[in-house]
Every structure is written in C-alpha cells, then in structure tokens.
Amino acid sequence: MSVPRQLRTHQRQLAGVVAAIASGATEARDILAAVTPGGGKSLLPVIAAARLMQAGLIRRICWVVPRDSLRQQAEEAFADPGWRAALEHRIGLRAAENAPDPCRGLDGYVTTYQGIAAAPALHLAEFRRHPTLLVVDEMHHLPALPEIDPVASRGASRAASRAASRGASRAASGAAEDGAEDDPAGAWSRALLPLLECAAVRLLLSGTLERADGRGILWLPYREGSKARTREVDLDAPGWAVVGYSRAQALAERAVLPVTFGALDGEASWRSEEGQEVGPHRLSGFHPDETTRPALFTALRTGFAEALLRQAFLTTRALRSRRRRERGLSPSAAAPGLGKLLVVAPDQATARYYLSVLRGWVPPEQAEASVGLATSDCPGSPQLLAAFRLRPEPSILVTVAMAYEGLDVPEVAVVAALTHIRSRPWLEQMVARATRIDPHAGPYEAQRAVVFHPDDPLFGRFRLRMETEQGTLARQPRARVTGGVLPLWLRERLPPREGITPLTSNALTLRFRTLAPGPELALKRPELEPGQGDMFEPPSVAERRLRGRIGEMVASQAVEDDAMQQGPHGGAGGPGLYHRYNAILKRVMGNKARAQMTLMELEASIGWLERNRLSDHLHLVADDPRYAWTARKRREWRPPRSQGVQGTEKRPNGRRRSS
C-alpha cells in the first residue's frame, strides 16, 4: 500500500494562493516562489496548473527551463502517478521543439529559454490563442530590461551617452532604445517579455533572487535596499503573491540535508606575465588580496586539485563501502542509494584532466563505466547525465556547468567544488546538488551532504552570506571609466590574470565545518491579509497593470499582422515584429519608454492603440537600420482583397485608397 503524498510548507502555501486566485479572493496574477535550492520546486507548477485549469482560468501551460537537460524532469513532474492521484489531475505536458502545435493534443509544453528566443513569434501566437499559465524556472537567469525597469532604463541611457561621446552614436542609439545586452541572457529576456505580458497567470520559480552580475531580474518588483547603490526584491509588492521556503524551513521539515564543508588549505606558486616566479602563497586568509585569485587559478590546475579530488574520492568510496556492508551487498555490486560524487571543474580542458586522474584510481575494468565526463563539447553528455540521474552507474561525474543547476540526482552525496567562480547564486546551486534526500539511502539521520572546496577567503565569504543574508539584492552598476571593459558576468567566468603560468601547489590542512541554517525570508501573502473598507488601487499597481495592458495590445497586433503576411510573399514580420511595434509606439509617444511614462501617458498610449494600427506607422522606424528593410518590405506588399481587407483597393502605384 502506497504512503499518501504530503505537501511541504511552501507547496501548501502555493495551493492556498492558487485557491485564492481561482475564487477571486485576490487580484494577484504574479506568483513568485523563492524556494531554497533542493527544496522541491518541481511540484509547484503541477499544483498551480491543476487548480487553475479546474477553475477555468487557464487552458494551457508553458513551462520554460534554462537547459534542455531539464525538460524531461519537467515532463516527469506532471506524469508522476503518485501526484496525479494525490492532486486528482490528468494534465500532460510534452517537451516541445520549435514546431507548430507544440502541445500536440496535450495540455501544455516544456521548452527552453533558447527555444523561446529562437522562435518568439511561434510561442507568442500560442499565448494569444489560449489563456496560459507561464512557468519560468530559475528566473534569476533573466536580466531586467529598460522597457519595464526604470533603473535598467537609466543605466542604458548612461551607456548610450558614454558610447556617443566616444563617437559610437549608432551603437548608443541601439543600447538606449532597445536595451541591447552584453550577454545571451539579454536576448532571453527580450524574447520572454511578450509572453510574460500576455500570460493569464505567471509562476516564477527560483532558488536564488540574486544574479551573479548584480543586475535586477526581469519582471520582479524592487524597492530601495538597505545598502548604498542596491535594490532588493520587494516581497510585499501589491499585486504579487510570494511563496517562500528558506533553507532554515527546509532543514526544520527535513526536506533537505545539512551541509558539511571540507575546506582544504594549500599554497601555490606561479609565473607572472612578466616571467617572474611568484609564491608560494597560501590560499587561506582573512580577506581577499591580489594573490587570492592567481593562487586559486594555479591550485585548480596543479597538485592541490589532485589532493582535493583524492579527499572527495576517498570519502565517496568509504560511504559506498559502508552502505554496501549495511545492505549485505558484494564489493562490486551496483545498487541505487549508495552515494555518488559530483566534480565541478573550472574549464573543459581541466575537466578532462580530472577525468584521467579519477579513472586512474579505479580498477581498469570499471573506470569507463564508473567515471563519466559531461561537458558541452561531449556529444553524449545528455545521455550520460540521464544515466547519472537514473542508474547506479556512473557513480562519479565530472562536469563544468551542465549539471550544477536544476539536475535532480538525490544520490549525489559528495561534491568536489574545483571551480574558480565565487558568486553566491552559482555556488548555492552547486552545493544544492548534494542536499537532496535519497529515498534509497536509509533514514534522514544517516544522510549528509559533504562539499570539499579550496579554503580561500572568497569561498568563506560565500558561506557567511548564506548564513546571514537573504540573498535578494541587486546592485546598481558603477559607471565605467574606460571602454573595452568586460561585463561582470563574463569576468566571473574567466580565469583571473590569464597571462600567469601555474607552476606548483600542494595541500596543507583540511577543516570541516557544518553550515548554519541561515535566515528565513520575510514573506507576506496578500490574499490572506485582512481587507480594508475603502479599496483603492495604488499608483504603482495601476502603472504595472497599464504597462501589462499595453504589452498585450502590442502583442495582439503583432500576431494578427504577422499572420496576414504569411502569403506567397513570405512573412515580412518575423521574430522581431513585437519589438519593432514597441519601437513605433515609443516614437509615437514622444520617445518615452513605458517604464518612464506617467499614469496619464500610459492611459493615453492605450487610447491611441485602441484607435490606430501600428502597421500604418512603419515610416516612424524607416530611418532605423534595424527595421528599415522589413518596414520597406511591408510597404511594398499588401494582401489581396480576397483576404478580407475591407474598404480598400490597390492603386497602380501600390498604395491603398479607402473606399
């Protein structure tokens, strides 16, 4: 007889929020689920979809994930027979490609950020066709855009002014008007924005509410932070329902495992760019200095890395041997629940080096099956990731970034953190790979996550922040003094001081420390707060509502016009039609972005859209090289009268005349 499924605290909270939305007790349509990594976010879309579809508020579900390897896990969440029975739902989702009819007779589909960016018009048309629940997984990947974020808009304007002063006026115009991004995530944000504006209900999921580059996150509400030049996520924002599940709550409910850090100290020597030998320098220290990152760079590629790998390997081997003895299994028997090791390397070349080292410690007949490598340049990486997640072997996986976030492998008990990245969001996700409870590994008390890492002060600062800060801040970027500076997100991922040559390193001492539970998120649930006598709409809520309405109206015209262009002359609209129409509206309204408009200006924009078609004002972007070609093609082509364009006829010169 199966044990009835029990909801955790945040899952019950979400069920209450969705019930309030379904019953009309709250006007909120944005749900933010801030769930600690490993706390169990994958069930939240199932809970929300089941109740909202039953109430008739939605007819489709679109779940967007950051990587292709996570699409199958999203499908499995809706297909789990235990939860289908417990929640009494019959909803099915499929992992869709960018092909027509992504649902294929089911109730929704799962796609990736990259898939949305590659075919935004396809997905926007689906959202216009049916009321849709949009689920955005790992929302922190999406940076804020100038169109809807006043702070990002001011930053784009400053960037445009600096670029113009350097004689790059064309680049400045693009940065100011369209929020051009320095990284692919900016393109993801631009592609997701129309879907966010058109969705009937939005469920935004994240294990961290900070970005590594310090920028704001797309769509989230912010308020001024307690620290200078910072903003923090406004968890009490009107119109939002926030569900929180901190690590302290998850530990109290035994939803995640406690973490023990094994900090290995060492010293390293390297050759500088000028050819001088530097060191040996200790990795540890009270504060980071100019030797911290070069020493870490050297340590990850020389003898210190082998020593840390050895500690993680021996710990994993001892764990697997103990569990085999407790079950009465032979030394070579493969079974679920024995424990696995995840090795996170700094780059692909070093990952292959780690692979050879680990396979040298395993009997030759087992090396190929027991130790695997999953990097983006390996053709069989998706299959290997699936095997690591679902099968007893391989028991050791070496990767760079493919498996650090979202990968649900409860058997991972040990992590070797041989990475130079020290941003909190990245490291939190990596640590969480080992905090999931393994149902095959025995009682909760017998399980513990162990993370081995270099004992540098930057990692120590990360541990302190996990224990003392909520992790909801966004930092305003400082003005760049000189040109050619790499963006912060890229600098985080590049090895420091690329010109140095690692020489030697060695391990010294190993210290173990258990991570404290950390702070709880101060969350409020608007739908449970007592009502007031005279209800009114605050200006910030009205502004957000009107901006969303404008986005829906622009998207509606883009979908309609793009459909009319699908004739023998081809689609002149294409993926950028929504953003082209946004640019036209901006010019009509005096070159003022929606994020900068007053309430009266937002209402005026809606009134203008109700009376006019954006396609009749393509001349406003004719001088813009980004839109000139498609604008010209649209002027040259008009649908025949048989397509239902009433009251017009085509003159010999190609222009229309109203009848």
Side-chain angles (χ1 to χ4, degrees), residues 13-264:
Q13 288 177 347
L14 179 72
V17 169
V18 174
I21 293 175
S23 65
T26 176
E27 296 296 326
R29 291 297 182 268
D30 291 281
I31 308 172
L32 172 62
V35 180
T36 187
K41 299 190 300 294
S42 60
L43 186 62
L44 299 182
V46 184
I47 296 171
R51 186 68 180 89
L52 292 173
M53 191 164 284
Q54 181 184 14
L57 294 181
I58 63 168
R59 295 181 59 190
R60 292 290 185 269
I61 303 102
C62 175
W63 188 343
V64 189
V65 297
R67 272 175 307 285
D68 187 70
S69 59
L70 302 179
R71 292 195 302 165
Q72 183 179 350
Q73 292 179 204
E75 284 184 298
E76 292 171 354
F78 276 87
D80 185 295
W83 286 117
R84 288 176 76 89
L87 298 175
E88 299 180 346
H89 81 87
R90 297 294 181 267
I91 300 173
L93 267 63
R94 64 180 293 269
E97 305 293 342
N98 282 339
D101 189 18
C103 297
R104 305 290 172 84
L106 297 180
D107 302 291
Y109 64 100
V110 187
T111 186
T112 61
Y113 293 158
Q114 298 91 330
I116 297 288
L122 172 87
H123 300 281
L124 183 58
E126 286 295 313
F127 275 61
R128 297 299 302 173
R129 193 173 293 120
H130 304 287
T132 302
L133 166 66
L134 173 61
V135 181
V136 184
D137 211 345
E138 306 300 351
M139 188 73 183
H140 59 275
H141 283 294
L142 304 173
L145 291 175
E147 288 91 333
I148 58 174
D149 185 349
V151 173
S153 180
R154 290 195 296 270
S157 299
R158 288 194 297 268
S161 301
R162 291 193 298 271
S165 66
R166 293 194 299 267
S169 58
R170 179 177 178 182
S173 175
E177 293 190 18
D178 292 310
E181 301 294 339
D182 292 328
D183 60 317
W188 298 346
S189 291
R190 300 187 67 77
L192 261 294
L193 178 59
L195 306 187
L196 285 164
E197 292 179 319
C198 293
V201 181
R202 294 162 287 270
L203 175 59
L204 313 179
L205 310 176
S206 184
T208 175
L209 296 180
E210 283 188 7
R211 284 178 51 83
D213 58 11
R215 294 150 71 185
I217 299 173
L218 179 70
W219 202 256
L220 296 191
Y222 282 91
R223 64 188 176 195
E224 185 177 350
S226 57
K227 299 180 180 179
R229 297 181 60 82
T230 64
R231 296 182 297 159
E232 62 183 8
V233 179
D234 187 358
L235 301 175
D236 301 326
W240 282 76
V242 182
V243 174
Y245 198 53
S246 66
R247 198 164 53 84
Q249 292 174 293
L251 285 170
E253 292 188 349
R254 297 191 169 190
V256 298
L257 296 174
V259 182
T260 296
F261 286 107
L264 185 63

Side-chain angles (χ1 to χ4, degrees), residues 300-301 309 342-355 373-375 397-402 404 415-421 426 430:
L300 297 179
R301 291 159 176 82
L309 268 179
L342 177 65
V343 179
V344 183
D347 54 58
Q348 294 177 351
T350 309
R352 289 189 287 271
Y353 161 64
Y354 292 167
L355 178 72
L373 174 68
T375 58
L397 182 70
V398 183
T399 185
V400 178
M402 285 187 70
Y404 91 93
V415 173
L418 288 162
T419 172
H420 60 270
I421 298 176
W426 207 97
M430 182 192 65

Side-chain angles (χ1 to χ4, degrees), residues 274-522:
E274 295 77 22
Q276 299 177 344
E277 289 195 14
V278 181
H281 283 284
R282 290 287 290 265
L283 282 175
S284 62
F286 292 107
H287 304 285
D289 57 29
E290 67 276 3
T291 67
T292 299
R293 288 195 177 274
L296 179 62
F297 177 80
T298 300
L300 297 179
R301 291 159 176 82
T302 48
F304 174 89
E306 291 192 30
L308 193 147
L309 268 179
R310 187 70 179 174
Q311 289 286 346
F313 175 79
L314 293 177
T315 300
T316 307
R317 187 172 69 176
L319 174 66
R320 291 173 65 86
S321 297
R322 176 173 61 81
R323 290 180 176 176
R324 279 197 180 97
R325 289 195 304 270
E326 293 172 351
R327 299 187 193 182
L329 300 174
S330 64
S332 60
L338 297 179
K340 294 186 175 184
L341 167 62
L342 177 65
V343 179
V344 183
D347 54 58
Q348 294 177 351
T350 309
R352 289 189 287 271
Y353 161 64
Y354 292 167
L355 178 72
S356 63
V357 170
L358 287 163
R359 284 182 171 174
W361 297 336
V362 178
E365 63 275 11
Q366 301 177 9
E368 191 76 23
S370 298
V371 187
L373 174 68
T375 58
S376 58
D377 62 342
C378 295
S381 291
Q383 293 79 5
L384 184 62
L385 283 174
F388 185 67
R389 187 166 70 91
L390 301 172
R391 299 176 183 172
E393 298 291 347
S395 58
I396 302 175
L397 182 70
V398 183
T399 185
V400 178
M402 285 187 70
Y404 91 93
E405 181 183 69
L407 186 70
D408 188 3
V409 186
E411 284 190 82
V412 172
V414 183
V415 173
L418 288 162
T419 172
H420 60 270
I421 298 176
R422 290 296 179 263
S423 69
R424 176 178 177 172
W426 207 97
L427 290 177
E428 277 187 335
Q429 293 287 345
M430 182 192 65
V431 169
R433 298 317 102 205
T435 61
R436 285 164 165 76
I437 299 170
D438 186 356
H440 303 288
Y444 177 87
E445 296 80 4
Q447 301 184 48
R448 179 171 291 266
V450 182
V451 179
F452 289 94
H453 66 89
D455 192 13
D456 60 275
L458 295 170
F459 202 102
R461 180 184 294 175
F462 152 71
R463 285 194 330 218
L464 179 63
R465 290 193 65 198
M466 279 191 71
E467 293 178 337
T468 58
E469 298 180 13
Q470 291 187 7
T472 59
L473 291 180
R475 292 164 175 79
Q476 298 181 31
R478 297 183 181 277
R480 296 177 182 174
V481 179
T482 59
V485 180
L486 292 175
L488 178 60
W489 73 269
L490 180 56
R491 281 183 280 148
E492 284 277 7
R493 287 157 174 76
L494 288 176
R497 309 183 83 174
E498 297 168 315
I500 73 170
T501 303
L503 297 178
T504 61
S505 66
N506 61 285
L508 297 176
T509 58
L510 177 65
R511 298 184 296 111
F512 286 97
R513 182 174 181 271
T514 300
L515 188 67
E520 293 192 16
L521 288 168

